[in-house]
Amino acid sequence: MFGLQRNDPSIFPEGARSQFLLESGKPSKVIHSHAFVEMSFGNERAIVRRAITGGVPGRVEVEFPASGVRRTLIAGSMADSAGGFQAALFKWAGLPVADVMTPTGATASLYIENLAPLFFLEQREGWSELQNLQIVRYRQLEVGEAAIEYILGLNHRLTQRRVRQSAELGQRRVKDELAAWSDRVKQLAAEYGWDADIPTRGDVLEWARRYREFKLNDYFAQSFGWTFKAEHERLTSLAGQLQKRLNSTTELKASDAAAAEASSKVINLKHAIHEKQQQIETLRTQRSAQTEVLEATKARIQSAEDLTRLKRENIGVLDTAECPTCHSLISPEKFDLHEQAASTVGAYIAASRRDADALRSALNDAAVTLQKLTNEIREMEQTYASSIRFLKLMNDAGTPAAEGVAELAARILNTERELDRARSLANRLSDLQAELEQWCARVLSTDPAKNERSEIERENRVVSEFTSTFKSLLLDLGHSEAVHVIDDVHLDDRYVPMAGQRRLRSLGSASDQPRLILAYCWALLEVALKSGGNHPGFLLADEPLQQNPDHEHRESWCDFLAAQAQRQTGQVIILTSLKPDEIKKLRGKGVAITELREQHLLKLVDRE
């Protein structure tokens, strides 16, 4: 739950022992031990056990004492709705399953360990920062903000966050789709010797709105003066004229230059095809080198993005380093290391992305040029084959009339071939137009402008109430600086408490930090239960009196507990140190207190 490695006994330093010293003084090896927790859900009670030593750590044993039923579940599995412990736990607690996005664009569920830092404040790290124990082993994006929205029941915000994340993560994919479509249009135009320019850079949503009314037929008509209707009429008329001349014996005359032109054309086409093939070979070599550079750039971007995520989530950050031999502390300056802020890495990522975009643009242009050259060679080869056939016909013709027939027949065949190409172009334009319309409809369907106003207003009220409750509890707990800046306290877009432009955690004394965290989590419990959120209904805090506060703060702490006990609806369990007079005072005001005496604690060992 806390991201610890297996067999790490730091959470239960005395419970997860590998051996015990018995009264005889001889060590005895622990063969089997387990941890268990007892939970109640309404009228149902469950005892959950998991092995520490011996047994299978990946299995959770669940017992229902009332019915005598025992179940074995798989630890940490949300995907298995039937045999997964996480799925069963959410079901028992009546909590809905919610999904968030991952960097790959897939979805991952919120787990109990994603929610626990907001209602389980333990000693190890629980008081160091809000959600400091947030685990991101499942690579969820913005999981801290999503956990708060889930607990408060801000389902619309949670859904919109997922939609926005999906849009942001899919923006490059959607952009690539539009760029690929643009490339196909360019390639199609290149087949006919035209240079098309279909811009795609910029905001995807803006291009979707603009291209919603875009018509490829109109673009080709305006840019290249080509329409299927005009081309069809021209070629049909030309074919009819040629056919009429072929049927008229009086117009069948020999063309003295036809054979010579055909022969010269064959020779020129042969040389031109050879030159185009050399250009294609050079272009392919260049594209191969650019592709390798692009892949290396993408790998650097991925590494930098992972580094930024680790910095943002504060994962793997060591406060101190120790020499493994002499155990002396080592400063980062010893290795010429320097601090890289997330903004610095972000600037590097932005620059690398610009380089990658430039490389992609160059590769796309090269692909269009390559396709254009390939199409030109194909056209040349077809024309070359037609010229060879025409030349053979002219050489085989024995009379001027036969030469005239051969020339007209060749021109009719060329006209029919051009007519087929025009039909093919019209059909391909129609298919590309349909693809563009589908793309625009898909992009515009996720337009964040389409929101439910009533739900937004309700959730804004919940966040506002959460903020006001948090501020009130902050003052009740005696935060030393909150009273001076309380009017400027607010939550930013990540639900982080701010005082103006500064984080509230940067203000006040060391003991104010646990007061801030307790006020935040307590307000979350109160507001979530009141607004019908997804809070499990309890708050467990292990010693909020972190810095041995003075008498004034201890008195305000007792007053706070007494006041909260009169109106608290959820279950709050606090492990703390109280003086005898404080215990008497709190019990007199209705606070339920259980004193942990010898029977609850490990016995002291006499080492003499």
Side-chain angles (χ1 to χ4, degrees):
M1 184 169 185
F2 302 103
L4 302 177
Q5 297 297 320
R6 183 169 293 180
N7 298 325
D8 183 349
S10 14
I11 291 297
F12 303 104
E14 300 298 324
R17 290 181 173 179
S18 59
Q19 64 180 17
F20 278 97
L21 289 176
L22 300 180
E23 293 181 358
S24 62
K26 295 181 179 180
S28 178
K29 184 178 180 180
V30 176
I31 298 175
H32 177 77
S33 64
H34 65 265
F36 74 93
V37 61
E38 184 174 325
M39 298 180 292
S40 297
F41 304 101
N43 296 325
E44 187 176 32
R45 189 164 61 95
I47 300 175
V48 182
R49 294 183 180 87
R50 188 171 180 182
I52 299 175
T53 303
V56 182
R59 295 290 183 267
V60 177
E61 301 293 334
V62 183
E63 178 186 358
F64 299 93
S67 60
V69 175
R70 291 176 179 267
R71 292 184 62 189
T72 300
L73 302 173
I74 302 172
S77 175
M78 181 67 80
D80 190 348
S81 58
F85 174 65
Q86 289 268 354
L89 189 58
F90 272 75
K91 183 178 180 181
W92 294 336
L95 298 175
V97 176
D99 292 330
V100 292
M101 300 297 297
T102 67
T104 61
T107 57
S109 299
L110 282 174
Y111 282 67
I112 284 294
E113 54 260 45
N114 298 129
L115 307 176
L118 295 168
F119 54 78
F120 181 36
L121 306 174
E122 50 78 53
Q123 279 288 327
R124 183 181 173 90
E125 294 181 46
W127 299 104
S128 58
E129 174 61 290
L130 288 171
Q131 300 200 71
N132 193 62
L133 297 176
Q134 190 56 260
I135 303 301
V136 291
R137 67 167 66 101
Y138 310 107
R139 302 190 71 199
Q140 302 109 315
L141 292 175
E142 302 176 9
V143 65
E145 300 91 305
I148 292 172
E149 290 170 348
Y150 174 87
I151 284 181
L152 286 174
L154 308 180
N155 299 326
H156 188 269
R157 287 195 178 195
L158 196 58
T159 300
Q160 287 302 309
R161 180 178 299 277
R162 191 165 61 248
V163 169
R164 176 183 58 77
Q165 290 172 342
S166 178
E168 290 175 354
L169 291 170
Q171 189 173 53
R172 187 165 296 275
R173 174 179 55 81
V174 174
K175 275 188 174 181
D176 290 343
E177 290 177 0
L178 182 61
W181 176 86
S182 175
D183 290 340
R184 289 198 298 275
V185 174
K186 293 177 183 178
Q187 292 169 7
L188 179 59
E191 293 180 17
Y192 293 82
W194 303 321
D195 291 325
D197 182 18
I198 308 291
T200 59
R201 292 185 179 181
D203 182 68
V204 172
L205 201 57
E206 182 61 32
W207 282 119
R209 295 191 185 106
R210 185 178 302 182
Y211 280 140
R212 180 170 50 184
E213 307 298 331
F214 182 81
K215 302 298 180 184
L216 270 176
N217 286 329
D218 296 342
Y219 174 78
F220 270 63
Q222 296 172 5
S223 302
F224 315 122
W226 184 93
T227 63
F228 175 70
K229 181 179 180 181
E231 189 71 4
H232 183 271
E233 291 176 354
R234 182 184 71 82
L235 293 173
T236 303
S237 174
L238 178 59
Q241 294 174 10
L242 293 174
Q243 189 67 40
K244 184 177 179 181
R245 288 180 58 188
L246 183 62
N247 296 334
S248 176
T249 56
T250 58
E251 296 189 20
L252 294 178
K253 299 179 181 179
S255 175
D256 297 333
E261 288 179 0
S263 177
S264 177
K265 190 174 184 179
V266 166
I267 295 172
N268 292 336
L269 283 172
K270 191 172 183 180
H271 287 298
I273 290 172
H274 179 68
E275 291 177 0
K276 296 291 184 185
Q277 287 174 340
Q278 288 182 328
Q279 293 178 20
I280 288 176
E281 189 63 31
T282 301
L283 193 57
R284 283 175 176 166
T285 303
Q286 293 174 349
R287 288 187 72 233
S288 177
Q290 289 175 332
T291 301
E292 291 180 3
V293 176
L294 177 59
E295 291 302 320
T297 304
K298 288 164 65 177
R300 291 198 301 271
I301 291 173
Q302 183 63 49
S303 299
E305 286 177 340
D306 290 340
L307 177 61
T308 303
R309 181 176 62 84
L310 295 177
K311 285 179 175 292
R312 185 174 59 250
E313 303 293 346
N314 202 29
I315 298 175
V317 178
L318 300 177
D319 296 329
T320 59
E322 185 179 279
C323 176
T325 55
C326 66
H327 300 289
S328 61
L329 294 179
I330 303 174
S331 64
E333 291 79 8
K334 199 176 191 78
F335 300 99
D336 293 330
L337 300 177
H338 62 279
E339 182 178 355
Q340 276 189 325
S343 58
T344 305
V345 182
Y348 170 78
I349 293 173
S352 299
R353 281 178 174 167
R354 287 193 295 270
D355 293 341
D357 290 339
L359 285 169
R360 288 191 189 94
S361 179
L363 284 171
N364 291 336
D365 292 341
V368 172
T369 304
L370 186 62
Q371 184 64 43
K372 185 176 181 179
L373 291 172
T374 303
N375 294 332
E376 288 177 357
I377 286 182
R378 184 166 59 247
E379 290 295 321
M380 288 179 179
E381 288 175 343
Q382 292 176 357
T383 306
Y384 178 77
S386 300
S387 299
I388 288 290
R389 290 194 297 269
F390 178 67
L391 184 60
K392 188 175 183 304
L393 288 173
M394 295 296 291
N395 291 333
D396 291 343
T399 62
E403 292 180 4
V405 170
E407 181 181 0
L408 284 174
R411 292 181 64 185
I412 290 173
L413 290 174
N414 289 337
T415 303
E416 290 179 350
R417 185 163 63 88
E418 289 183 24
L419 190 56
D420 289 338
R421 288 187 68 205
R423 291 194 187 96
S424 175
L425 175 57
N427 291 334
R428 292 167 71 181
L429 286 177
S430 177
D431 293 340
L432 288 169
Q433 181 68 40
E435 287 183 25
L436 179 63
E437 291 174 357
Q438 292 174 2
W439 181 87
C440 290
R442 188 171 71 253
V443 173
L444 292 175
S445 66
T446 58
D447 189 342
K450 298 179 180 179
N451 289 331
E452 298 180 11
R453 183 176 298 276
S454 60
E455 186 64 17
I456 293 175
E457 292 176 351
R458 186 196 72 82
E459 294 188 351
N460 288 341
R461 288 195 298 270
V462 172
V463 175
S464 178
E465 185 175 358
F466 172 48
T467 305
S468 61
T469 304
F470 163 66
K471 292 165 66 174
S472 176
L473 292 175
L474 203 61
L475 295 176
D476 292 343
L477 282 166
H479 193 288
S480 61
E481 291 295 323
V483 65
H484 305 298
V485 296
I486 198 66
D487 292 336
D488 295 329
V489 171
H490 64 280
L491 303 180
D492 67 2
D493 56 352
R494 299 185 65 185
Y495 304 103
V496 175
M498 306 289 289
Q501 299 299 319
R502 299 178 61 186
R503 286 194 176 194
L504 193 56
R505 62 160 297 179
S506 65
L507 304 177
S509 62
S511 59
D512 283 329
Q513 176 69 3
R515 295 187 187 105
L516 182 151
I517 294 173
L518 184 62
Y520 191 93
C521 294
W522 205 314
L524 199 61
L525 171 67
E526 285 192 13
V527 176
L529 293 179
K530 183 178 179 180
S531 62
N534 300 315
H535 201 290
F538 69 90
L539 172 63
L540 177 61
D542 185 7
E543 192 50 278
L545 302 177
Q546 291 285 301
Q547 305 295 329
N548 297 318
D550 53 29
H551 175 73
E552 182 181 350
H553 275 110
R554 293 189 68 92
E555 188 174 356
S556 64
W557 168 242
C558 292
D559 292 340
F560 172 80
L561 292 178
Q564 290 297 110
Q566 303 301 320
R567 63 186 185 89
Q568 187 61 38
T569 55
Q571 182 184 29
V572 180
I573 303 174
I574 300 175
L575 284 79
T576 186
S577 301
L578 295 174
K579 298 176 181 180
D581 60 323
E582 294 172 339
I583 295 176
K584 183 178 180 180
K585 175 182 177 181
L586 289 173
R587 280 178 171 165
K589 294 188 177 182
V591 180
I593 295 178
T594 300
E595 295 184 70
L596 301 181
R597 298 187 180 275
E598 288 79 3
Q599 66 269 26
H600 301 102
L601 306 173
L602 293 173
K603 293 182 179 180
L604 294 175
V605 177
D606 188 1
R607 298 184 178 276
E608 294 182 359

